[in-house]
Amino acid sequence: IRPQIHLFLFNKKYYIMSDKKNLVIFDFDGTIITSDSERAQIYLLPEEVYTPMLNDWNERHYNWIDFMNSIYKKMKEFHITLDDIKGALDKIELTPGIETLLNFLKDNSDKYEPIIISNASYFNVEYILESRGYKNVFKKIICNKSKIDEDGMIYIFKNQPHNCDKCNPCRCKAQNLKDFIGNNRRHYDKIFFVCDGSNDFCLAKQLENTDCVFPRKDFAFCNILLDEEQKAKLKCDVRPFEEASSVVDEMIQLEDK
């Protein structure tokens, strides 16, 4: 049975659309929002408190989740509240053009299936998306599970260990993608990946030549591409962006291929 073909009108042009959906994967920190949602909270502590803690982490590079839980424990000592944390998250701006992209995906949910794969905590992702009105755009959010403890403070749970020696201990996004798709890759026409960081490269290496990664220009992912040996590890199309709104046109053009 051949898949059905549909015509899709956008900007006064018709594009051919398969009846299969396209999976659209987003990173969160630095991709949907302009900065790191957890580092924004660290700075609620006095500088003389967070500076040695950050220096210690930079030297030892132990598990980031352990580090953040130590930050939240220290926040209790300084009577920093959940409302203070929400206030810090409220100040983080969305990436330029991301609202256009998310609204497009929301309006075309019959053609695109957006998900998030991120190293951020679930509290941060959920709070920011809900407060900006975009949580219902995403079918699934894969990130670090968290809860509010008995003292009213965030606690982040550790993830299951993975076997990837290229990724940090917190998460291998390539493994997350494999777990999400399982044997159902055939259910998607194409996979699009909107990202920015070096920890997104492992996932991008799993994409096929019919897929596309959209990294933010001048961010860590694009810096990796300056190494031709690393760039050659990607089978998928690569289309860097400055404003996320341009990804809409790129995705639609790729539908026609």
Side-chain angles (χ1 to χ4, degrees), residues 105-146:
L105 295 173
K106 182 178 180 180
D107 292 341
N108 294 276
S109 59
D110 58 324
K111 305 175 183 69
Y112 301 96
E113 185 176 301
I115 68 169
I116 289 174
I117 301 180
S118 170
N119 271 328
S121 77
Y122 188 82
F123 177 86
N124 295 351
V125 176
E126 181 183 50
Y127 177 77
I128 290 174
L129 291 179
E130 279 192 337
S131 64
R132 315 296 169 97
Y134 288 112
K135 185 186 176 186
N136 64 348
V137 172
F138 298 96
K139 177 181 179 180
K140 190 172 184 64
I141 298 172
I142 301 169
C143 61
N144 297 329
K145 295 179 180 179
S146 58

Side-chain angles (χ1 to χ4, degrees), residues 10-168:
F10 182 78
N11 282 351
K12 300 180 180 179
K13 291 180 66 177
Y14 280 98
Y15 296 88
I16 296 174
M17 294 286 293
S18 167
D19 62 339
K20 294 182 179 180
K21 284 189 176 185
N22 297 297
L23 181 64
V24 187
I25 307 166
F26 285 85
D27 176 43
F28 189 73
D29 289 343
T31 299
I32 291 178
I33 59 175
T34 55
S35 58
D36 187 308
S37 58
E38 287 170 353
R39 287 184 180 270
Q41 301 168 42
I42 293 170
Y43 302 133
L44 291 170
L45 287 166
E47 185 175 357
E48 64 271 19
V49 174
Y50 72 70
T51 298
M53 296 180 74
L54 273 175
N55 289 341
D56 179 56
W57 182 83
N58 286 328
E59 289 178 7
R60 297 197 291 135
H61 283 285
Y62 58 93
N63 192 296
W64 180 258
I65 292 175
D66 288 336
F67 171 73
M68 282 307 301
N69 282 331
S70 70
I71 288 289
Y72 292 134
K73 184 177 180 181
K74 187 65 68 173
M75 285 182 176
K76 295 179 186 180
E77 297 177 21
F78 283 83
H79 306 290
I80 295 170
T81 67
L82 197 62
D83 284 339
D84 295 325
I85 291 174
K86 290 178 180 179
L89 296 178
D90 287 335
K91 293 177 183 177
I92 299 176
E93 296 181 352
L94 296 177
T95 302
I98 199 70
E99 291 177 277
T100 298
L101 175 54
L102 295 182
N103 286 328
F104 170 79
L105 295 173
K106 182 178 180 180
D107 292 341
N108 294 276
S109 59
D110 58 324
K111 305 175 183 69
Y112 301 96
E113 185 176 301
I115 68 169
I116 289 174
I117 301 180
S118 170
N119 271 328
S121 77
Y122 188 82
F123 177 86
N124 295 351
V125 176
E126 181 183 50
Y127 177 77
I128 290 174
L129 291 179
E130 279 192 337
S131 64
R132 315 296 169 97
Y134 288 112
K135 185 186 176 186
N136 64 348
V137 172
F138 298 96
K139 177 181 179 180
K140 190 172 184 64
I141 298 172
I142 301 169
C143 61
N144 297 329
K145 295 179 180 179
S146 58
K147 70 173 184 177
I148 306 302
D149 67 18
E150 62 275 8
D151 297 317
M153 183 51 67
I154 300 169
Y155 178 85
I156 307 174
F157 296 97
K158 283 189 176 180
N159 298 308
Q160 293 294 321
H162 59 76
N163 297 319
C164 179
D165 60 0
K166 304 298 182 184
C167 294
N168 67 52

